[in-house]
Amino acid sequence: MSNRINYSAISPDTYKAFGGVYVSLQQCGLPKQLVDLVYLRVSQINGCAFCIDMHSRDLLKGGVGVEKLLLVPVWHDAGQLFSPRERSALSWAETVTRVAETGVADADYQAALAEFGDKGLADLTYAIGLMNAFNRFGVAFRSAPAACKA
């Protein structure tokens, strides 16, 4: 796999704007590990190798066990390995990422709102939207994962 263009270098101001959203989300009050789980799940759905590699590494560095990391794609079948809050975040991430298929049903919205409240749900949705955007850059421009650069 080879990069097509280095979009962050070619358009640095726009890349920095996306980075500003990323920094804001780090300070929004949602736990970093929860946001990283969502980033990973969204990246898995979108097939972004660069982002899957990066967020898997972030989660491992943050103390998430390999057994949990490996079950993120099938979190709904992993019993109590994922907390109710994590399951709610992962469910919301899937329905929002697959918006063309799901239409983001009212029941999904209500469940996520009950778990996160207005601000938490807005911030979580910003995180999902941001990762969907980064995934599109990674896939479109063939960003190589760190594991492939070694």
Side-chain angles (χ1 to χ4, degrees):
M1 173 190 261
S2 62
N3 288 358
R4 291 179 171 170
I5 62 171
N6 183 345
Y7 63 92
S8 62
I10 292 169
S11 185
D13 291 340
T14 305
Y15 183 77
K16 286 177 189 172
F18 276 93
V21 175
Y22 180 82
V23 169
S24 176
L25 288 166
Q26 290 180 317
Q27 302 165 2
C28 74
L30 291 172
K32 179 179 178 1
Q33 187 174 91
L34 179 80
V35 173
D36 284 341
L37 281 170
V38 165
Y39 286 163
L40 176 59
R41 185 64 190 123
V42 169
S43 299
Q44 290 169 337
I45 292 166
N46 291 322
C48 182
F50 178 86
C51 294
I52 291 169
D53 179 65
M54 180 175 57
H55 298 300
S56 295
R57 291 171 188 272
D58 289 346
L59 285 161
L60 288 169
K61 286 178 194 170
V64 170
V66 172
E67 52 285 325
K68 186 172 185 173
L69 185 68
L70 292 173
L71 293 174
V72 170
V74 292
W75 62 268
H76 41 81
D77 294 325
Q80 299 305 310
L81 187 59
F82 294 90
S83 72
R85 190 166 177 84
E86 290 170 335
R87 288 194 300 271
S88 181
L90 291 166
S91 178
W92 185 246
E94 288 182 359
T95 198
V96 171
T97 297
R98 295 180 171 135
V99 64
E101 300 164 31
T102 68
V104 187
D106 288 343
D108 295 336
Y109 166 76
Q110 291 299 331
L113 182 63
E115 181 65 44
F116 291 98
D118 291 344
K119 181 173 183 326
L121 186 57
D123 289 337
L124 182 60
T125 308
Y126 279 123
I128 294 163
L130 178 68
M131 192 47 48
N132 272 286
F134 273 128
N135 291 164
R136 275 132 182 89
F137 297 130
V139 172
F141 298 126
R142 303 287 191 261
S143 299
C148 295
K149 294 176 184 176

